[in-house]
Amino acid sequence: MKKIKLTCAHAIVKFLTSQKILIDGKKEPLFAGAFGIFGHGNVACLGQALEENKDKLPTYRGHHEQNMALTGIAYARAKRRKQVFVATSSVGPGSTNMVTAAAVAMSNRLPILFLPGDTYANRMPDPVLQQVEHFNNPGITQNDAFKPVTKYFDRITRPEQILQTFPQAVQVLLDPADCGPVCISLCQDIQGEIFDYPEEFFKEKIHNIRRPRPDDFQIKEAAEKIKKSKNPIIISGGGVFYSDAMEELSTFAVKHNIPVTQTVMGYSSMKRDHSHFLGPIGGLGGKAANNFAKKTDLAIAIGTKLGDFTTGSWSNFENPNFSLVSINVARFDASKHMAQSIIGDAKVSLNELSQALGDWKASEEWHKKSRDELKSWNEYVDKESGPTNQKLPSYAHAVGAIYRNSDPSDIAVTAAGGLVGEVVQIWRPRELNTHETEWGFSCMSYEISGALGIKMANPNKEVITFVGDGSYLLYNSDIYSSVITNNKLIVIVCDNGGHAVINRLQLFKGGKEFNCLFESSNVSNLVKVNFAKHAESMGAKSEEVSSISELEEAFKRAKKSKVTYVISIKTHSYQWLEGSAYWESPTLEIPKTKENEKALKLHKEGKAKQRQGV
């Protein structure tokens, strides 16, 4: 066996650059690039190896470890988990800054490879700078914090350990059922140590994401259950994207005449003008989809983890005869709430289930009702998001103005806060793959950093991100990243005076305004933030507007711009689109006020409809 003598750091980079993947029949690098902030834990060894291989593995400088990782995560989502980014940091606050991003990837089932530096394996200089010490366990470091929020974790304490660890890590990153973040913690002394590695380890490896076939018995049982239903619906989740099953979803819905609702993560898996599109479902969903959810006797969930915002905290299915068929590549997700599971790839499973159903289809009357419900809801959304002279426009007005003037191929991006629900209602997809969000972890600051990753994955499309003033103030430095890397974004800043959506929840639960909006916080010198000027200082073009008509004209200028364009507008703190589903959140069982009493009454009414595990 031929050997090659390399440092551990150089061997890692050489291995990563030898991994390829087939995308639409074309061989591409599996690892599209790396984001890094260097410190003493990763600069001298891994940093040099990355520099020497920058043509094969492009490395981008981050401004904050959490947000550079969020960019990598968003890139992987936009690439439908077919390409992966590396995120490296020094030991200490650099590595712990990435733990939140790991949780984002974990909750959204998205791949990213974390390579944080770690303390010394030989322990001779201990305690070293930025080492947290556990007096009863010297083997614990801050990087152990990654363990609950990664699918695979290892600490490299010998250079030869990478021979077993990295191939396993790649398989996790590409596993359709167990996909998620990987953390390989690199002791800083080991990065520079040498080993005679087998040349075979660095041989080009071409990967392809597998498509597990469903079990024949599960298909048969599911088909029999569906045939007994009278009023079925489909819930289309993010797994439809990852399986590239949009065409199969469309064909299945038409053939079997079943209305299709979408989760927030599965939104734009079907166009708005499709004959069976019914819009988003659940806590952020529209009344059309939620009315049908309340009546349906069977839901076919495809590629969704069935989170509480999809199911209305499991209160959205009011029919006593309701049952569930769940198609998911992950056994854990497919088996929730005693569903009839079909454990397999969405594309393959839909085809086989359709064959088993034969010519069966739901009634035309059910389908016609779905069209009537959708028409009514669309009219409401159009009215609420249409042109206005209102002094302080709502989120819906701002989103509607952008939507009316956007191109069908433009991609809308959201993350935490109230804008997610408003955008998913208004941004009804005119083309597939034109809505991207992060809702598994609802991470503030993803809006700009994630938009950057989505733009990197879609360089020829316009990427428009909607961000509240709260998220903007939390992290905004990737505006600068987008400028210096020539990845143009359009950033719409809706300034409603703080964390208005949580203020809304605070009031809904019967509390008093406290610590959410700036005006109800402990402040003594409240000053206005000029978001446009701030963005301009980072190289973006920007403007502040004061009306919807001005916003529309500014957006037209933003579309023509060659660089990132930020538009700031003051918006209403209390005006929202109508909600149509219950969502469970903590409620005082001993009311203090009349408003608390009302909140408790509504809470109990919702809980009474909640399905208890079935």
Side-chain angles (χ1 to χ4, degrees):
M1 182 182 293
K2 290 185 178 181
K3 302 287 185 73
I4 178 171
K5 189 183 296 292
L6 292 170
T7 69
C8 182
H10 282 82
I12 288 170
V13 175
K14 188 173 180 65
F15 174 83
L16 295 178
T17 58
S18 67
Q19 307 305 301
K20 310 295 182 183
I21 189 167
L22 291 176
I23 301 177
D24 297 327
K26 184 181 177 182
K27 185 171 69 175
E28 301 282 0
L30 173 60
F31 294 96
F35 286 102
I37 293 179
F38 294 129
H40 67 272
N42 66 340
V43 67
C45 301
L46 183 62
Q48 183 169 333
L50 287 169
E51 187 278 328
E52 292 174 8
N53 291 275
K54 59 188 177 185
D55 293 338
K56 296 179 181 177
L57 185 64
T59 298
Y60 302 89
R61 182 189 182 281
H63 305 304
H64 188 282
E65 291 86 357
Q66 174 180 312
N67 283 51
M68 71 182 190
L70 292 178
T71 299
I73 292 165
Y75 182 94
R77 171 168 163 81
K79 285 291 188 179
R80 305 311 183 207
R81 305 198 299 201
K82 294 181 176 69
Q83 284 185 299
V84 183
F85 253 87
V86 178
T88 180
S89 74
S90 184
V91 63
S95 61
T96 54
N97 277 346
M98 295 195 295
V99 172
T100 296
V104 170
M106 185 78 168
S107 63
N108 286 287
R109 320 286 207 259
L110 290 169
I112 186 170
L113 175 59
F114 294 103
L115 297 180
D118 208 332
T119 55
Y120 280 72
N122 65 35
R123 299 186 184 171
M124 293 303 291
D126 283 10
V128 298
L129 180 66
Q130 297 179 334
Q131 179 175 351
V132 298
E133 294 183 274
H134 285 257
F135 299 158
N136 63 342
N137 189 339
I140 292 178
T141 78
Q142 54 264 54
N143 287 1
D144 286 86
F146 280 96
K147 289 179 179 178
V149 288
T150 52
K151 288 284 190 176
Y152 183 90
F153 177 91
D154 196 9
R155 177 174 284 109
I156 302 301
T157 59
R158 293 286 306 160
E160 60 268 35
Q161 289 173 347
I162 70 169
L163 292 169
Q164 279 74 39
T165 287
F166 273 81
Q168 290 294 336
V170 168
Q171 292 307 309
V172 172
L173 293 167
L174 292 175
D175 191 315
D178 207 34
C179 181
V182 167
C183 178
I184 301 179
S185 186
L186 305 176
C187 291
Q188 50 196 295
D189 52 336
I190 301 305
Q191 294 177 39
E193 291 188 8
I194 58 173
F195 185 76
D196 288 329
Y197 293 97
E199 285 190 351
E200 186 74 12
F201 183 64
F202 306 109
K203 184 179 178 181
E204 182 179 84
K205 174 75 172 177
I206 301 175
H207 301 273
N208 192 42
I209 298 175
R210 60 192 174 88
R211 290 190 179 277
R213 276 198 65 250
D215 179 76
D216 290 340
F217 179 76
Q218 289 185 336
I219 290 288
K220 177 176 175 291
E221 291 291 295
E224 290 179 2
K225 182 170 289 234
I226 293 169
K227 286 178 180 179
K228 293 175 183 177
S229 70
K230 302 296 183 183
N231 302 316
I233 64 169
I234 290 171
I235 304 173
S236 174
V240 172
F241 286 131
Y242 303 137
S243 175
D244 193 24
M246 284 85 79
E247 184 177 341
E248 285 72 18
L249 171 67
S250 173
T251 300
F252 185 93
V254 171
K255 179 182 176 183
H256 302 295
N257 205 31
I258 304 176
V260 179
T261 69
Q262 296 87 35
T263 71
V264 180
M265 301 300 286
Y267 204 53
S268 78
S269 58
M270 181 174 276
K271 296 181 186 179
R272 67 171 292 175
D273 61 358
H274 190 282
S275 60
H276 288 71
F277 173 89
L278 193 53
I281 190 173
L284 301 178
K287 187 173 281 189
N290 285 330
N291 282 352
F292 261 52
K294 291 172 173 62
K295 297 172 186 174
T296 186
D297 59 355
L298 180 135
I300 305 170
I302 308 170
T304 168
K305 67 178 186 179
L306 293 171
D308 62 344
F309 266 89
T310 294
T311 65
S313 297
W314 288 103
S315 71
N316 218 23
F317 309 107
E318 297 180 4
N319 190 325
N321 299 316
F322 173 79
S323 61
L324 181 64
V325 171
S326 187
I327 301 172
N328 204 296
V329 75
R331 173 197 57 78
F332 184 87
D333 288 327
S335 303
K336 288 173 180 172
H337 274 247
M338 297 182 69
Q340 170 56 58
S341 303
I342 297 178
I343 303 171
D345 172 76
K347 182 189 283 277
V348 176
S349 297
L350 280 171
N351 285 335
E352 296 196 10
L353 180 60
S354 184
Q355 290 176 15
L357 287 170
D359 294 331
W360 178 89
K361 60 172 58 180
S363 72
E364 186 55 35
E365 181 184 2
W366 178 244
H367 174 254
K368 183 179 182 301
K369 285 180 180 178
S370 74
R371 300 303 90 198
D372 294 340
E373 288 275 6
L374 183 62
K375 180 176 181 293
S376 176
W377 185 248
N378 278 337
E379 288 172 353
Y380 165 77
V381 171
D382 288 340
K383 179 174 178 287
E384 293 298 312
S385 63
T388 182
N389 292 321
Q390 187 173 300
K391 183 177 179 181
L392 274 182
S394 67
Y395 269 3
H397 291 135
V399 177
I402 302 303
Y403 181 66
R404 288 192 300 275
N405 291 278
S406 64
D407 293 319
S409 61
D410 292 350
I411 300 173
V413 180
T414 58
L419 276 165
V420 180
E422 307 297 283
V423 170
V424 80
Q425 298 284 3
I426 297 163
W427 203 271
R428 289 150 292 185
R430 293 160 290 180
E431 288 189 7
L432 301 177
N433 296 295
T434 52
H435 176 272
E436 300 281 6
T437 194
E438 190 290 288
W439 194 242
F441 209 58
S442 184
C443 183
M444 290 175 67
S445 81
Y446 179 94
E447 293 93 339
I448 298 173
S449 299
L452 175 59
I454 291 159
K455 178 66 175 182
M456 292 172 71
N458 295 278
N460 297 320
K461 288 192 175 185
E462 200 81 81
V463 175
I464 305 156
T465 185
F466 295 89
V467 58
D469 53 312
S471 283
Y472 185 100
L473 288 171
L474 183 65
Y475 286 117
N476 50 62
S477 57
D478 279 327
I479 290 174
Y480 184 60
S481 298
S482 72
V483 170
I484 64 176
T485 60
N486 284 321
N487 284 293
K488 177 209 168 181
L489 305 174
I490 298 178
V491 182
I492 309 299
V493 183
C494 293
D495 179 4
N496 59 10
H499 300 150
V501 74
I502 297 301
N503 187 70
R504 176 193 188 190
L505 180 62
Q506 193 172 48
L507 293 173
F508 181 72
K509 289 298 177 178
K512 295 181 180 179
E513 295 192 33
F514 176 67
N515 207 49
C516 293
L517 297 181
F518 288 115
E519 290 185 351
S520 65
S521 301
N522 187 6
V523 296
S524 57
N525 183 31
L526 186 57
V527 297
K528 174 180 178 271
V529 177
N530 192 315
F531 295 101
K533 285 187 177 179
H534 181 268
E536 185 180 352
S537 74
M538 291 186 283
K541 289 187 176 181
S542 64
E543 53 185 296
E544 185 177 62
V545 300
S546 58
S547 69
I548 290 300
S549 59
E550 288 182 7
L551 176 61
E552 293 190 354
E553 293 305 311
F555 179 68
K556 293 173 184 176
R557 291 187 285 273
K559 290 280 282 183
K560 295 176 181 178
S561 175
K562 299 296 183 183
V563 300
T564 290
Y565 208 103
V566 177
I567 308 171
S568 173
I569 183 170
K570 287 274 189 184
T571 53
H572 206 290
S573 304
Y574 302 94
Q575 187 175 345
W576 310 88
L577 290 177
E578 179 184 348
S580 57
Y582 172 77
W583 178 58
E584 182 174 357
S585 60
T587 308
L588 289 173
E589 288 195 348
I590 302 178
K592 301 285 187 179
T593 66
K594 289 183 179 180
E595 290 79 10
N596 286 153
E597 290 178 3
K598 180 181 178 182
L600 182 59
K601 181 177 180 289
L602 291 172
H603 175 70
K604 288 181 177 180
E605 289 173 356
K607 287 283 287 181
K609 298 174 182 177
Q610 199 170 46
R611 304 187 67 82
Q612 298 181 341
V614 294

